């Protein structure tokens, strides 16, 4: 009886598991694909910039103050370099239109009024994007993510700008570019606060602000020279490609804060380096001293006029 039914399928067995020798390949493949997809989502969701690309190993450096200080300085220096070069890249995509406008007018026959209208719309979009970027940095808790993603989006906007030839097309992409430009300055301010103590933050803030001059110096050389030789479209695309590459580099090398790397805060690190007390220690001393100071004080007499 078994031999006679050997060639017939078992109706009572679940589909895909009738015979061990005949188990379809798609069942284990589907299970493996589902597990891999679930694992990749977990890794993406749990990424908090705790291991930048050039960061030293916490296990190798843990335990000694000197090694902790080296890790702190290394990751802070990488993050600051990313802020300098990254924000200069924002300026490349922000100012590129100004240096390809004359070439656009000659090739497309646009009027001065049309070119000026595009230039006037951009600051309005940029103004609103600063507030949006600040809210996103607080909600998502990762200024590096906002900074690098915004940089890549500005590159996409520059490249998309060159794919059309009409004023509405240019207007759409240039407004969109302005709406993501605010992702540069606000996250940098947050990272400067995270990485530098109050006593030295001013000098580093002013140094970072020089990145605007770096970008302003480079954009005529890049966009202007390329537009003159290869056309205005490539004058816009070149800064866009640079922004895409720099955005990826910043995402994998910069760090949100020392605390996310298991390092002391900027104030505590500065106190340990200079031999002073950290902010938390000062607050504790103040809380302890205030009750003691009030113990010997005589209670104030109420006014007889009350």
């Amino acid at each position: 009886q078994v031999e006679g039914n050997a060639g017939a399928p078992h109706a009572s067995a679940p589909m895909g598991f009738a015979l061990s020798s005949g188990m379809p390949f798609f069942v284990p493949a589907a299970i493996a694909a589902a597990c891999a997809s679930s694992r990749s989502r977990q890794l993406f969701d749990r990424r908090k910039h705790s291991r930048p690309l050039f960061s030293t190993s916490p296990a190798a450096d843990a335990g000694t103050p000197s090694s902790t200080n080296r890790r702190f300085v290394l990751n802070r220096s990488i993050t600051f370099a990313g802020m300098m070069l990254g924000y200069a890249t924002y300026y490349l995509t922000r100012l590129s239109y100004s240096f390809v406008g004359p070439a656009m007018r000659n090739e497309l026959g646009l009027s001065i009024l049309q070119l000026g209208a595009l230039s006037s719309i951009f600051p309005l979009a940029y103004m609103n994007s600063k507030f949006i970027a600040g809210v996103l940095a607080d909600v998502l808790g990762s200024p590096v993510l906002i900074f690098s993603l915004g940089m890549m989006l500005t590159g996409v906007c520059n490249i998309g700008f060159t794919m059309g030839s009409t004023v509405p097309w240019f207007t759409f992409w240039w407004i969109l570019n302005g709406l993501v430009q605010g992702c540069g300055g606000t996250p940098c301010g947050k990272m400067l606060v995270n990485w530098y103590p109050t006593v030295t933050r001013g000098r580093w803030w002013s140094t970072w602000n020089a990145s605007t001059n770096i970008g302003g110096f480079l954009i005529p050389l890049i966009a202007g020279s390329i537009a003159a030789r290869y056309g205005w479209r490539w004058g816009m695309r070149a800064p866009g490609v640079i922004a895409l590459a720099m955005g990826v580099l910043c995402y994998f090398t910069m760090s949100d804060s020392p605390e996310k790397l298991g390092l002391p805060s900027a104030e505590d690190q500065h106190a340990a380096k200079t031999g002073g007390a950290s902010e938390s220690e000062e607050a504790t001393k103040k809380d302890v001293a205030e009750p003691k100071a009030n113990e010997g004080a005589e209670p104030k007499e109420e006014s007889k006029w009350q």
Side-chain angles (χ1 to χ4, degrees), residues 243-255:
L244 285 171
M246 184 60 67
V248 173
L249 181 63
C250 289
Y251 179 75
F252 286 106
T253 57
M254 297 173 66
S255 302

Side-chain angles (χ1 to χ4, degrees), residues 3 36 148 261:
E3 292 177 358
S148 56
L261 299 178

Side-chain angles (χ1 to χ4, degrees), residues 218-278:
L218 292 176
I219 187 59
L221 303 178
I222 297 174
S225 59
I226 293 178
R229 184 165 185 176
Y230 299 103
W232 71 268
R233 298 183 191 274
W234 282 107
M236 290 284 290
R237 289 170 185 167
V241 173
I242 294 173
L244 285 171
M246 184 60 67
V248 173
L249 181 63
C250 289
Y251 179 75
F252 286 106
T253 57
M254 297 173 66
S255 302
D256 293 324
S257 65
E259 290 87 346
K260 287 190 176 181
L261 299 178
L263 296 169
S265 66
E267 300 290 347
D268 291 342
Q269 192 271 345
H270 178 75
K273 184 178 179 181
T274 59
S278 63

Side-chain angles (χ1 to χ4, degrees), residues 143-159:
V144 170
L145 176 63
I146 303 301
F147 181 71
S148 56
L149 182 60
M151 196 186 312
M152 288 185 278
L153 289 176
T154 61
V156 172
C157 291
N158 261 46
I159 296 173

